[in-house]
Amino acid sequence: MDKTPQDGAVNFPFPYEPYSIQKDFMAALYRVLDTGKIGIFESPTGTGKSLSLICGALTWLKDYEEKKKREESEALAGVHTEQNGNDPKHGTKPSDPIAEPDWITQFVQNKEERDLVDRLKEEQIKRKKREARLEEIRHNVQLKYASKRKRIEDDETERLLQLSKQMLASDGSEATQPLDQHDEELILAEYESDDEKKKGHGLEEEDEDDFEEDHVAKIYYCSRTHSQLAQFVHEVQKSPFGKDTRVVSLGSRQNLCVNEEVRNLGVVQLINDRCTEMQKNKHEKKSEEPEGKKKKREGREICPFYSYEQMQLLRDETLVEVKDIEQLVTMGKELKACPYYGTRFAIPAAQLVVLPYQMLLHESTRQASGIKLKDQVVIIDEAHNLIDTITSIYSSQVNGSQLCQTYSQLLQYMERYRTRLKAKNLMYIKQILYVLEKFVGVLGGSVNQNPNCQSISLAGTKLQSINDFLFQSQIDNINLFKVQRYCMKSMISRKLFGFMERFGGAAAAVVSKESQKTAGFQRFLQGLHQKASGEAIPVTAPEEPTEIGQPRMASPLMLIEGFLSALTSTNKDGRVIINKQGTVGQSSLKFLLLNPAVHFAEVLKECRSVIIAGGTMQPVSDFKEQLLLSAGVGIDRISEFSCGHVIPPDNILPIVICSGPSNQQLEFTYQKRDLPEMMDETGRILANLCNVVPGGLVCFFASYEYEKQVFGHWEKSGLLKRLALKKKIFQEPKKANQVEQVLAEYSKCISRCSQTGGVLSGALLFSVVGGKMSEGINFSDDLGRCVVMVGMPYPNIKSPELQEKMAYLDKTMPKTDGQSPGRVLIENLCMKAVNQSIGRAIRHRGDYASIVLLDNRYSRPSIYRKLPEWIRGSTQIKTAFGPAFAAIRKFFHEKKAQIAATQC
């Protein structure tokens, strides 16, 4: 009997006895996948969300594969029966003078049946071949040794070949060339046509069929960071599916490249361009005519790790055993095979593909990676920032210094190689120069002067539609689609970076007389990297060695290419922000994406099912309105699931405090939060809490500025000293590289206090909502026995970007409970930040903590219902401080008694 989630017969393999909420999660997930819906799943951290996703989704996938095999066998058996004349449907039909003759109908029907049989048989053969090959690799160790031996032989052959070439070169006379080898590498190749056909992916032609292998049914799992992906892969390895599931982990070239020369470039764009160039060299080398030509370019490097035979072996090794990114890199070095391309080749046969957000959400990256979403399943984990992520991926910004610097670099490049560049290359370079000049003009400057010395008379911010911006810039007659395609195909930014890296200021020596009026560029560019924002590259002197661990900046043209690409968006889906500040160099142009659904729609359209999951997904209205409904998804296709926590209800005490010890109403609005009495009342509350809360207490402020202001006030009033008598005080650092040190000291202090006793009862950590410690850091057990949220962290309502987003939503979305969509947006942004911060405390089944919300606005129904369900169900609202403090003191007293009882 078929297993269906409705009849409760689905058996979910699990490494241990799952919690009831995990069973509910997996059953709901199975139903959504089976019915092809869009699911929004919320499962708090500490409830085993990753294992529930793995076991629920892979159980469905295994059942789905079995179902397809049965249907395939039944179809083949049915056709065989029909061909033997046993099908009752093929009986004699009554004659119909209008209908087609029976023999035509029979012929068409037989042809369709033959085609079906051929297709099913072909799929069966492919599947059996793939399974047999992987099984052979899994059990036949001799294949590995044979491959390794052949690799050693190939290396020795290559070494001897190089020695022979050197001997021949030393005996013969070298042909003189007008430009040296480095110059040849910097010259743009001929750009044939705007409509030229794609020349493949750098693969040998005979191997393209293998690369285009049919994609089996699969699940794409993506998350935000590589560490989260690695953790997920380790969970798969430990799960019941770790041995018999074909899993491949994808990553960027920066994470997977094993060519040290390329890795040392440091910058993602440079690594990508260099890798692509080396593959192009391999392709060109193969297609060169044997007799050679005078214009043949010598010495072009190809990547030694781009061996198709070795990448095939890496692909198969990847599919037979689950590996994370680090294990893939190690294996790539051992096999002398590229993990970046090897893992891409493994995608078609993989059942589970693990990849970062951007690789799936960015369309061109998705296509370049060989990802095909048609009828597949996508799971997006840690999706609470999904809207912001898509908006960020497709937004772009450039400043005046970068525009002027690129103009100068490109002009020097064109003048040096003018006689060697083809007409089409010169045409596009001149178009790019024209566009750059107009962009600087929009900022109120001139490309003929130092951008850092050109003052802006009327500073301010202006927003325009894309069409209005193009018209004002006077580039509405330029086909930006063609310019963008040229930049991508010609890799001009890579050439320009190599040119400036090689020549620096010496490039100015080749500028022709008619362009001497632009020589002033060289003088002002000398000071760009000191005076500008630090993103400029000095072009008037050779590049200085960079600090160890500090990546070199890529050519600013790479950033400008991103901005040009953004300008090709639909007019209504984005805005251009012209920000004039101080000087032209400090001013900027930014493209802001207003409608993320336009880029998410393709994912929803292609996939069989999409799962959006996270520990804290409330409020979910943003996901439904801005991503799903706006993309054309029907409300009946959306399914929501939210489960409680695994902790007992009495292990958490969420409490809203509406007024302080002196009956001062707590309302941290922009107008009231700076009042001395409001800051004093906050201090009194914390002083009281420090008396009853054991271990660590984490207090969140709305911003760094407000935290600094409150601290200054408490220092003057002496409150900080009083707080320090009970708990050692720590502050969240602004620099990311100092976070680990502060956390380590905070943890040591709490551990020391719990062991030795004494006056100090633990530590007090002041953090900022949206800062380094409000997301991704666990304050489990004694590290966070109480989390305090001071006020409501609303975003800056005066931000032009936020105002434009609100205006856009007000025009395109309906009202919710009488509230405008813009107002709902800022409330949702606030509550998402709150939910992320307060969720730091409870991290596992045996954990306990109190969550204190200091602001009477949390008691409003519209705000209260946006708390996570597992918190909202236990939340107490206290209008006076006395009862609130009594409840908190009782909570910790009972926990202390319970712990003492268990230790006896």
Side-chain angles (χ1 to χ4, degrees), residues 22-93:
Q22 289 177 314
K23 293 178 181 178
D24 294 340
F25 185 104
M26 291 186 288
L29 178 63
Y30 194 108
R31 280 194 297 271
V32 170
L33 298 180
D34 208 43
T35 53
K37 292 189 173 184
I38 311 297
I40 302 175
F41 280 71
E42 182 180 53
S43 181
T45 305
T47 56
K49 170 169 59 71
S50 295
L51 264 178
S52 300
L53 282 170
I54 291 166
C55 297
L58 291 180
T59 297
W60 171 83
L61 183 63
K62 299 293 184 185
D63 290 350
Y64 178 77
E65 288 175 341
E66 287 299 321
K67 180 182 175 185
K68 295 290 285 184
K69 286 179 183 179
R70 283 198 307 273
E71 290 175 351
E72 188 180 272
S73 300
E74 289 168 3
L76 285 172
V79 169
H80 180 72
T81 303
E82 291 171 18
Q83 289 175 345
N84 285 316
N86 297 326
D87 187 359
K89 290 188 291 185
H90 290 173
T92 307
K93 296 181 181 179

Side-chain angles (χ1 to χ4, degrees), residues 449-520:
Q449 299 176 40
N450 187 331
N452 300 306
C453 297
Q454 298 181 67
S455 299
I456 299 294
S457 56
L458 293 174
T461 302
K462 182 180 180 182
L463 285 89
Q464 292 184 327
S465 68
I466 298 173
N467 290 345
D468 289 344
F469 173 75
L470 296 177
F471 184 76
Q472 182 188 337
S473 305
Q474 299 177 355
I475 61 170
D476 49 314
N477 59 330
I478 300 289
N479 189 327
L480 293 181
F481 290 94
K482 287 188 175 183
V483 173
Q484 178 197 359
R485 177 179 169 82
Y486 171 78
C487 290
M488 180 180 67
K489 292 292 183 182
S490 67
M491 292 192 294
I492 187 172
S493 57
R494 166 69 193 168
K495 302 288 185 182
L496 188 59
F497 177 82
F499 170 72
M500 300 313 299
E501 190 178 45
R502 175 165 165 73
F503 293 107
V510 300
V511 178
S512 60
K513 287 184 179 180
E514 61 259 23
S515 64
Q516 283 180 357
K517 60 184 179 181
T518 63

Side-chain angles (χ1 to χ4, degrees), residues 437-629:
E437 183 179 357
K438 294 302 179 183
F439 283 171
V440 174
V442 169
L443 293 176
S446 167
V447 291
N448 296 318
Q449 299 176 40
N450 187 331
N452 300 306
C453 297
Q454 298 181 67
S455 299
I456 299 294
S457 56
L458 293 174
T461 302
K462 182 180 180 182
L463 285 89
Q464 292 184 327
S465 68
I466 298 173
N467 290 345
D468 289 344
F469 173 75
L470 296 177
F471 184 76
Q472 182 188 337
S473 305
Q474 299 177 355
I475 61 170
D476 49 314
N477 59 330
I478 300 289
N479 189 327
L480 293 181
F481 290 94
K482 287 188 175 183
V483 173
Q484 178 197 359
R485 177 179 169 82
Y486 171 78
C487 290
M488 180 180 67
K489 292 292 183 182
S490 67
M491 292 192 294
I492 187 172
S493 57
R494 166 69 193 168
K495 302 288 185 182
L496 188 59
F497 177 82
F499 170 72
M500 300 313 299
E501 190 178 45
R502 175 165 165 73
F503 293 107
V510 300
V511 178
S512 60
K513 287 184 179 180
E514 61 259 23
S515 64
Q516 283 180 357
K517 60 184 179 181
T518 63
F521 296 144
Q522 317 314 318
R523 291 192 294 275
F524 80 72
L525 286 171
Q526 286 181 357
L528 264 182
H529 64 295
Q530 291 104 357
K531 297 178 182 178
S533 59
E535 296 181 2
I537 301 173
V539 298
T540 53
E543 184 179 349
E544 294 293 329
T546 55
E547 273 186 57
I548 296 174
Q550 291 293 320
R552 292 174 293 170
M553 287 304 295
S555 165
L557 180 57
M558 297 174 184
L559 299 174
I560 292 161
E561 286 177 12
F563 184 69
L564 291 175
S565 176
L567 291 180
T568 60
S569 303
T570 307
N571 184 57
K572 63 182 175 62
D573 292 330
R575 295 290 182 271
V576 178
I577 303 171
I578 304 169
N579 185 22
K580 297 182 181 181
Q581 299 293 331
T583 65
V584 171
Q586 295 170 330
S587 302
S588 64
L589 300 173
K590 180 178 181 178
F591 173 79
L592 173 66
L593 179 69
L594 295 176
N595 181 19
V598 72
H599 295 289
F600 198 54
E602 191 63 26
V603 175
L604 297 169
K605 178 183 175 184
E606 290 281 314
C607 292
R608 169 195 176 92
S609 182
V610 176
I611 304 298
I612 302 171
T616 306
M617 297 298 289
Q618 293 293 336
V620 299
S621 59
D622 282 356
F623 296 103
K624 290 198 291 187
E625 294 287 344
Q626 294 186 46
L627 279 185
L628 304 182
L629 299 178

Side-chain angles (χ1 to χ4, degrees), residues 353-374:
V353 180
V354 181
L355 69 165
Y357 269 5
Q358 180 148 349
M359 195 170 285
L360 183 127
L361 297 174
H362 192 258
E363 185 179 8
S364 59
T365 305
R366 187 167 70 237
Q367 292 173 350
S369 301
I371 295 168
K372 296 181 179 179
L373 299 181
K374 183 67 175 174

Side-chain angles (χ1 to χ4, degrees), residues 202 204 278-286 302 306:
E204 287 82 350
M278 292 175 103
Q279 307 327 311
K280 188 177 179 183
N281 292 345
K282 185 179 181 76
H283 181 79
E284 289 178 351
K285 182 177 180 181
K286 187 188 173 195
I302 60 175
Y306 194 80

Side-chain angles (χ1 to χ4, degrees), residues 430-443:
K430 288 179 179 178
Q431 282 191 354
I432 296 170
L433 288 170
Y434 175 79
V435 169
L436 293 171
E437 183 179 357
K438 294 302 179 183
F439 283 171
V440 174
V442 169
L443 293 176

Side-chain angles (χ1 to χ4, degrees), residues 323-432:
K323 296 178 178 66
D324 63 18
I325 292 288
E326 290 182 3
Q327 292 168 324
L328 288 169
V329 169
T330 301
M331 185 171 65
K333 290 176 180 177
E334 291 175 356
L335 297 177
K336 205 173 180 182
C338 175
Y340 177 76
Y341 284 102
T343 51
R344 284 173 61 184
F345 297 158
I347 293 174
Q351 295 166 303
L352 176 61
V353 180
V354 181
L355 69 165
Y357 269 5
Q358 180 148 349
M359 195 170 285
L360 183 127
L361 297 174
H362 192 258
E363 185 179 8
S364 59
T365 305
R366 187 167 70 237
Q367 292 173 350
S369 301
I371 295 168
K372 296 181 179 179
L373 299 181
K374 183 67 175 174
D375 297 330
Q376 308 291 17
V377 169
V378 164
I379 297 176
I380 303 173
D381 201 2
E382 301 298 331
H384 54 273
N385 285 331
L386 182 57
I387 295 174
D388 294 337
T389 300
I390 298 173
T391 301
S392 176
I393 287 173
Y394 287 96
S395 295
S396 181
Q397 180 172 339
V398 293
N399 62 42
S401 291
Q402 292 162 345
L403 292 168
C404 288
Q405 185 185 10
T406 305
Y407 185 92
S408 174
Q409 291 180 357
L410 199 54
L411 185 67
Q412 292 178 60
Y413 178 89
M414 183 181 72
E415 292 299 335
R416 181 175 181 88
Y417 299 122
R418 181 184 289 273
T419 58
R420 300 295 301 271
L421 295 171
K422 299 295 182 181
K424 189 153 284 191
N425 280 318
L426 284 172
M427 178 192 77
Y428 277 112
I429 290 175
K430 288 179 179 178
Q431 282 191 354
I432 296 170

